[in-house]
Amino acid sequence: MRIILQGAPLGMEVPKILSELQTVAGVQGVHHPHLWTIDGRTHIFTAHIVVAAEATIDAVEKIKDRVKHKLLHLGISEATLEMESSAINCESHDH
């Protein structure tokens, strides 16, 4: 039933994942997370990642790569990340 409802994978806690992502160099914040499993083995994660306002496109891409690498080590095989400047106030920030 958990898979049919696309529930969060057993044993994975979003607060722990967010805490881990905060340790990635260049990440200033993480919000609007969603975590679910497709088949019990393939876990999907989406989130907004906040980076410094002055970060270059190249720097942002490197941060995204480091975040995805960290997620792989946490058992998350697919991730869609929306990268945001700290200078912008995201409308989804409270979620």
Side-chain angles (χ1 to χ4, degrees), residues 37-93:
T37 187
I38 292 178
D39 57 10
R41 292 184 315 266
T42 305
H43 308 318
I44 311 296
F45 181 79
T46 64
H48 295 198
I49 308 294
V50 180
V51 299
E54 63 275 0
T56 64
I57 291 174
D58 186 51
V60 171
E61 286 301 315
K62 287 178 182 176
I63 295 166
K64 184 191 288 188
D65 288 344
R66 289 193 295 266
V67 169
K68 286 189 173 192
H69 183 76
K70 175 72 84 172
L71 289 169
L72 277 173
H73 283 283
L74 294 171
I76 297 168
S77 55
E78 299 289 333
T80 300
L81 306 171
E82 183 172 327
M83 307 303 283
E84 298 178 354
S85 167
S86 61
I88 305 297
N89 187 17
C90 176
E91 294 177 12
S92 300
H93 194 276

Side-chain angles (χ1 to χ4, degrees), residues 2 8-14 16-17 35 43 74:
R2 176 175 291 282
L10 290 174
M12 289 191 164
E13 299 176 19
V14 172
K16 182 178 184 229
I17 293 167
L35 173 66
H43 308 318
L74 294 171

